[in-house]
Amino acid sequence: MSFGQGGASWGPGGDGTPDWAALAEESAARARRKKLMMIGGGALATVAIGAIVTTAVVTSNGGTGTADKNASQLPAPAELPEDTSAPAPSFSSVAPPPPPDPKDYISSAKKDKAPITADGFFPGKKLTMGDRVHLKGATSDTAKCATGTQGALGTVLTNNGCEQLVRATYRKDGVAVTVGIAVFETEARAKKAVDQSSGGLASLGGGGVDTFCRGGTVCLRTANSYGRYAYFTVGGFLNGKRVTTADKGVYAVNKDLTNFTFRQIHRRGQLQASEAAADPNG
């Protein structure tokens, strides 16, 4: 026979000894029920929190939420002016005048007003072209153009109205070249003088250069024009040797001097064109 007292079970023998196996089973059963209740409670708590979050989201996105109320209180955008009759910015359709052409200022005496001097065209004591250095000798400037020529060139210059003849001599490695610039009233006269040229420029000695290309010695002669300026050269060996087509040194010095002379004439036009652009009413 078994009797329960205080939740304890006693063994069937009735000797007062507790039934330890039964007590352990009962304790385990109570623990399982408590754990299930805690898990169930946690689940309920989770569901409750989810409901609160859902409610908050719906409220903030709803038509009567706080966000809509704040939006209705924002200031209205600035009103655009109704009067649009104000004139729009205008731009001139007239293109600005082109810059002056330098050649215009060296093609006629009417515009070419700058002084003409030997030092203006041939400055300094030497001419450097790249790695080539040419030492300057004597210079000459005369209004009697024929005095600086040989053969028929003097007559050609005079008949075409030559106003001034500027000359300068340069030397390099036993070669000397004299370049002369003849000045005319117009570009047409300078071109005509070159087309009719015969004879040649007279070489200019002095300044460390002995007389050369005289007495029938064969020398290199050239004639060109740019604007109202005709420019001529005569070049050869200082020792009197005749020049042939194989003498590249003579041709090289002559080329440097003709290129330099052209640039100096063009630069003269550039300077005067720049002055005119800076002072259009001058």
Side-chain angles (χ1 to χ4, degrees):
M1 178 177 294
S2 300
F3 296 94
Q5 181 178 0
S9 299
W10 303 90
D15 55 2
T17 302
D19 188 350
W20 299 110
L23 291 173
E25 180 64 26
E26 183 178 353
S27 176
R30 286 197 302 269
R32 284 196 297 270
R33 286 195 300 271
K34 185 177 180 180
K35 184 176 182 180
L36 289 175
M37 288 299 293
M38 291 178 67
I39 294 174
L44 290 174
T46 302
V47 171
I49 293 172
I52 294 172
V53 172
T54 303
T55 303
V57 172
V58 171
T59 302
S60 65
N61 291 334
T64 60
T66 304
D68 284 347
K69 182 178 181 181
N70 291 339
S72 66
Q73 295 176 352
L74 293 176
E79 295 183 358
L80 295 176
E82 296 181 358
D83 183 10
T84 58
S85 61
S90 60
F91 301 93
S92 174
S93 60
V94 180
D101 184 356
K103 194 169 184 293
D104 289 345
Y105 288 83
I106 54 172
S107 295
S108 172
K110 293 180 180 180
K111 284 190 173 183
D112 190 9
K113 301 295 186 181
I116 299 173
T117 64
D119 287 339
F121 277 115
F122 308 108
K125 295 182 179 181
K126 61 184 178 181
L127 167 64
T128 301
M129 299 287 283
D131 59 351
R132 303 173 300 280
V133 178
H134 309 274
L135 300 178
K136 188 171 76 172
T139 61
S140 174
D141 187 353
T142 179
K144 297 180 179 180
C145 300
T147 61
T149 65
Q150 295 185 98
L153 183 60
T155 301
V156 171
L157 298 183
T158 301
N159 290 343
N160 284 285
C162 179
E163 300 175 346
Q164 191 173 349
L165 179 64
V166 180
R167 289 183 295 166
T169 296
Y170 290 85
R171 71 182 189 276
K172 179 180 181 296
D173 298 334
V175 173
V177 174
T178 296
V179 57
I181 301 176
V183 186
F184 297 87
E185 179 73 17
T186 64
E187 180 179 15
R189 292 191 177 188
K191 287 183 177 180
K192 189 176 180 180
V194 170
D195 293 340
Q196 295 176 348
S197 62
S198 179
L201 190 71
S203 63
L204 180 64
V209 178
D210 294 333
T211 301
F212 66 101
C213 291
R214 297 289 182 97
T217 304
V218 177
C219 289
L220 176 64
R221 302 180 186 275
T222 64
N224 295 280
S225 69
Y226 184 58
R228 71 186 188 111
Y229 300 90
Y231 53 103
F232 306 87
T233 64
V234 56
F237 294 102
L238 288 171
N239 61 7
K241 176 186 172 182
R242 62 180 295 170
V243 177
T244 68
T245 55
D247 294 316
K248 304 302 181 183
V250 177
Y251 284 84
V253 175
N254 184 85
K255 182 178 180 180
D256 279 347
L257 287 179
T258 54
N259 286 343
F260 174 72
T261 302
F262 171 83
R263 293 176 188 176
Q264 288 294 88
I265 297 171
H266 183 68
R267 180 173 177 273
R268 178 181 176 86
Q270 287 180 316
L271 292 175
Q272 294 182 90
S274 297
E275 292 177 357
D279 185 14
N281 298 320

